[in-house]
Amino acid sequence: MKNLLLTALLLGSLFLTACGGETYGSGVDPAAPKVPVKDVFLKQELMGKKVTLEGKIVSQCQSNGCWFYLQDETGQIFIDLAKNQMTLPSRPGKQVLVSGTVGWSKQSHLLIANGVEVK
């Protein structure tokens, strides 16, 4: 009976792990509209607004995971994790969803992340 319960718990854990991604920060905001990267650069009305982006991590901070570049089929953008005291373990090449606020720094747009989900 004890082995059966242990086996059931193990299988349940494996199932939940396979179905969900890793979540960091507050997670992806379901209320934030999902937009392509190009819209962050082209639609000035998004400045200061919360959005969700989806794409691949193409490069990442090597020291403590405080930023990464996200790329989708429309472009590439800097994702700042440090402003909200977030870090992300090394996940180059992984697909992610990121919710955050569109901002501006050093002559370029960026996303100040509140939550990340690694798929």
Side-chain angles (χ1 to χ4, degrees), residues 15-101:
F15 176 74
L16 290 174
T17 302
C19 291
E22 303 166 36
T23 301
Y24 299 90
S26 60
V28 175
D29 184 349
K34 190 173 170 186
V35 300
V37 169
K38 72 174 183 173
D39 284 2
V40 173
F41 292 94
L42 298 177
K43 296 185 176 183
Q44 291 303 310
E45 64 269 19
L46 291 178
M47 185 62 67
K49 304 288 186 195
K50 192 174 232 186
V51 299
T52 296
L53 303 174
E54 182 173 10
K56 186 189 320 185
I57 296 176
V58 291
S59 65
Q60 185 176 3
C61 172
Q62 295 299 307
S63 62
N64 61 359
C66 60
W67 59 262
F68 63 88
Y69 279 93
L70 177 137
Q71 184 168 345
D72 70 5
E73 63 277 352
T74 68
Q76 183 172 297
I77 190 167
F78 181 81
I79 307 296
D80 185 345
L81 302 171
K83 284 214 186 335
N84 287 318
Q85 292 77 45
M86 289 175 50
T87 59
L88 181 70
S90 184
R91 298 291 184 262
K94 293 287 188 174
Q95 282 291 121
V96 293
L97 285 166
V98 184
S99 291
T101 305

Side-chain angles (χ1 to χ4, degrees), residues 47 78 80 83 102-112:
M47 185 62 67
F78 181 81
D80 185 345
K83 284 214 186 335
V102 176
W104 179 264
S105 177
K106 298 182 183 178
Q107 303 176 345
S108 184
H109 290 81
L110 58 86
L111 189 76
I112 301 167

